[in-house]
Amino acid sequence: MDLRKGFHEPVEKPRRFYEAVSLVDAEGGVQVLLDGRNLRTPRAMRMILPTRAVAEQVAEEWAGQGETIEMAAMPATRLANTAIESIPAAREGVADQVAQYAGSDLVCYFAEAPEALVARQRAGWEPVLARAESEAGLRFERCAGIVHRDQPPETLAEVRRLALTLGDFELAGLAFGTPLFGSAVLALALHRGWLSPDEAFDLSRVDEAFQEEKWGVDDEAAERARRLRAEARMLGRWFRSLAG
């Protein structure tokens, strides 16, 4: 379940059908209201968020809509939909996918050359890997080049176990961040507050940034990077909001 799939514009944008967005305490959390009516997921489940901070994050997206509803501009809402509708029945499979990413994690594959790039990767990635080992008990094998190297089975089992200890909303975020960064380690680091959203995103694209410095960047690549950075910032707020 790649939670980033489907984060795109629908063919036809629905018109805004409400004026006021508000919050109300509800059993199990906080409910978002549109003109006093319960906001619901696409499967008509009530949008009850676990903390007021998360509810505010979702409510801000709805309040910020114009004449039409731009679902691509509502990533927290879409993530909440997934956490409510899909995660509860798919927790084992989602944890498996996070562990699968960890099995070929971006931050374990260092370049062979040039040395300037290798040095930049080591400076950025090694502290995160060291912290994953010291604070989460995750020991990863490093390698040079792109040839796959198996990670210790106990490491992947622990990644899976850690994922399953999370609540549905946190697990949805972790599963969203893992493909966003190409790294379960960076997603875990953002969740635990080891890295800021911008730090995690920058570490996920060390190679790209190095190449851009050498060859320049085109408008399409710059726009894609801007969009993905915005998703990383949304996710960082999501994790903070769940903790608060």
Side-chain angles (χ1 to χ4, degrees):
M1 179 187 295
D2 185 343
L3 299 191
R4 295 190 59 257
K5 288 182 178 179
F7 270 58
H8 54 74
E9 294 274 7
V11 175
E12 295 185 5
K13 302 172 186 177
R15 294 189 62 82
R16 178 166 176 161
F17 55 89
Y18 58 91
E19 292 293 334
V21 182
S22 59
L23 302 177
V24 63
D25 291 335
E27 183 178 356
V30 180
Q31 172 79 52
V32 179
L33 304 179
L34 304 180
D35 288 342
R37 298 178 180 177
N38 295 330
L39 174 62
R40 294 184 179 271
T41 70
R43 296 178 189 171
M45 300 174 71
R46 290 175 66 193
M47 178 74 76
I48 297 179
L49 292 311
T51 69
R52 181 162 289 269
V54 171
E56 289 172 350
Q57 188 174 358
V58 172
E60 286 173 15
E61 292 183 344
W62 286 89
Q65 297 301 297
E67 292 184 359
T68 59
I69 297 175
E70 308 273 353
M71 291 306 296
M74 304 174 75
T77 297
R78 297 174 70 102
L79 193 51
N81 287 338
T82 300
I84 293 168
E85 292 185 340
S86 302
I87 294 294
R91 290 179 57 83
E92 298 283 341
V94 172
D96 287 341
Q97 289 186 11
V98 173
Q100 185 176 14
Y101 263 92
S104 56
D105 205 282
L106 169 73
V107 298
C108 295
Y109 287 80
F110 294 79
E112 296 178 288
E115 183 55 39
L117 173 58
V118 177
R120 189 176 299 186
Q121 290 173 333
R122 287 174 180 162
W125 296 349
E126 281 293 352
V128 183
L129 288 167
R131 194 161 185 180
E133 182 168 4
S134 64
E135 297 191 25
L138 302 175
R139 181 180 62 83
F140 286 93
E141 296 288 338
R142 284 74 150 167
C143 65
I146 60 174
V147 177
H148 177 75
R149 176 178 293 185
D150 290 337
Q151 294 296 336
E154 59 271 19
T155 294
L156 303 186
E158 183 63 9
V159 169
R160 185 179 187 279
R161 188 194 71 79
L162 289 172
L164 288 173
T165 65
L166 302 179
D168 291 341
F169 284 78
E170 289 178 297
L171 181 56
L174 185 69
F176 178 86
T178 297
L180 172 63
F181 300 129
S183 168
V185 174
L186 292 178
L188 180 65
L190 179 60
H191 170 257
R192 294 199 168 196
W194 301 344
L195 298 171
S196 71
D198 284 319
E199 288 170 337
F201 182 69
D202 288 340
L203 290 179
S204 76
R205 61 187 313 274
V206 171
D207 294 20
E208 290 92 332
F210 186 85
Q211 294 301 323
E212 288 169 359
E213 291 171 10
K214 185 175 182 180
W215 304 108
V217 57
D218 60 36
D219 291 342
E220 183 177 346
E223 172 58 25
R224 179 176 183 275
R226 184 204 63 77
R227 176 174 52 81
L228 295 181
R229 185 180 296 277
E231 290 185 2
R233 289 173 176 171
M234 178 279 296
L235 183 59
R237 182 181 175 187
W238 177 268
F239 285 142
R240 295 192 304 273
S241 296
L242 288 170

